[in-house]
Amino acid sequence: MTSEGSHAFARKLEGFPGREPRLDEQASAAHGLPLETLAKVRKSQSWHHLGEWLSRHEVQEISSGRVEVDDDLAARLGIDGLPSGDRQRTVAALQSRHLHRVDLLAPSGNASLDIVLNQDGFAGWADPGQADLAAADGEGSSRLLQGERKFISGPWSVLPRLVSSWAGLAPAWAGWPPLKIPGSVIDSRLDRSSESGTEQFPPLDDAGEWWLLRLSGAGLQAEPWLISERIGCMAITGEPGDNDVTLVQVNGLSVFTSIVSYWDAALTDLAGGVT
């Protein structure tokens, strides 16, 4: 987009993802996206935002558009570096009806991004991540219970990279053929209190910790992916209503391509002027 408002979103995440450490600098440069391990996701969110944690009530008030974005609030949101008009325009994006959600589900705790799109870019809220939940001082758990969130925004062009980096997409280790398993095995692996029964499926034991990445919203639902600690990304395929699913090992670049396609479809209406 070339409208004046798009500059506000562009400046909010200026430098993303160039400032990020790489698992493999050469591979990342070749693909044009971060290729990272899940250890990084567990340690810290891999995208940058300067705002503070805000309470559930504050999130609701800001999202409703009933509060003025003064200097204090702009600083708390991390957009105080923007001109006054750009600040209001960026926050106003929260009132768009084009809501999308990105979920990252894992036994160690879930995190999510609630993102809304408008003609200029995106804005939304990030739930506490796994790193915060595991904080030694317990502050992260407190944030989760209180429903505290952080504000995020940026131009459309960074959305695929933001989601890919946030999910910690890692290169796939080739070698496993497609594997048909009961869907309940995935559910149980994401629930530490359940017996996973993965002894029947050796690749799953070798995978290490799993994360389930899922995008949905505004009439769109992307196929979920399992992102594993040691054997990379696996697409989850199957027929609706089937009890069994098939895991197909894929390169992290394939997942990134699917994420790009998802956002391209999500932006179709907006490109036509719908807000």
Side-chain angles (χ1 to χ4, degrees):
M1 297 292 290
T2 58
S3 67
E4 179 185 352
S6 65
H7 300 307
F9 293 91
R11 287 195 294 269
K12 178 64 172 67
L13 290 177
E14 186 176 0
F16 177 88
R19 292 174 292 182
E20 305 210 358
R22 303 292 195 232
L23 170 65
D24 181 327
E25 292 284 353
Q26 186 175 9
S28 292
H31 294 323
L33 74 151
L35 295 175
E36 299 155 341
T37 64
L38 292 179
K40 182 178 178 190
V41 180
R42 286 198 298 272
K43 290 176 183 175
S44 64
Q45 296 288 12
S46 55
W47 38 272
H48 302 272
H49 46 74
L50 304 176
E52 301 176 8
W53 291 99
L54 293 105
S55 70
R56 180 185 287 109
H57 176 71
E58 289 173 316
V59 168
Q60 291 172 342
E61 286 291 298
I62 295 167
S63 297
S64 72
R66 291 194 294 266
V67 296
E68 181 182 352
V69 186
D70 56 19
D71 290 345
D72 179 63
L73 178 57
R76 297 194 66 200
L77 293 173
I79 58 173
D80 46 322
L82 301 179
S84 175
D86 285 349
R87 296 177 188 178
Q88 196 67 48
R89 186 180 295 108
T90 301
V91 176
L94 293 170
Q95 299 170 58
S96 168
R97 64 182 178 84
H98 293 270
L99 174 66
H100 295 261
R101 184 178 178 90
V102 187
D103 290 307
L104 194 61
L105 312 177
S108 58
N110 304 329
S112 67
L113 303 176
D114 285 332
I115 298 172
V116 290
L117 310 174
N118 72 358
Q119 290 178 306
D120 297 321
F122 73 89
W125 301 98
D127 272 337
Q130 284 74 9
D132 297 297
L133 297 177
D137 59 7
E139 184 181 2
S141 296
S142 175
R143 286 174 181 157
L144 179 66
L145 292 173
Q146 295 171 16
E148 292 185 347
R149 315 184 83 183
K150 276 195 175 183
F151 177 73
I152 57 172
S153 68
W156 295 350
S157 59
V158 306
L159 263 173
R161 288 178 291 171
L162 181 148
V163 172
S164 300
S165 179
W166 179 74
L169 295 186
W173 282 259
W176 293 115
L179 179 66
K180 190 171 185 177
I181 64 171
S184 59
V185 171
I186 296 175
D187 295 335
S188 61
R189 277 300 295 268
L190 293 171
D191 181 359
R192 283 184 167 178
S193 65
S194 300
E195 293 294 329
S196 66
T198 54
E199 63 277 356
Q200 302 174 51
F201 311 101
L204 304 187
D205 278 336
D206 291 339
E209 187 170 355
W210 295 7
W211 296 59
L212 180 64
L213 174 65
R214 184 174 60 202
L215 292 83
S216 60
L220 298 171
Q221 179 108 18
E223 185 176 64
W225 300 277
L226 279 178
I227 303 170
S228 65
E229 191 170 26
R230 291 197 288 270
I231 63 174
C233 305
M234 289 173 279
I236 303 174
T237 64
E239 296 298 325
D242 283 356
N243 292 324
D244 294 340
V245 298
T246 300
L247 303 182
V248 181
Q249 192 173 30
V250 296
N251 189 285
L253 184 59
S254 298
V255 181
F256 174 72
T257 301
S258 295
I259 291 173
V260 171
S261 298
Y262 176 91
W263 291 117
D264 280 347
L267 295 170
T268 299
D269 285 345
L270 289 172
V274 179
T275 57

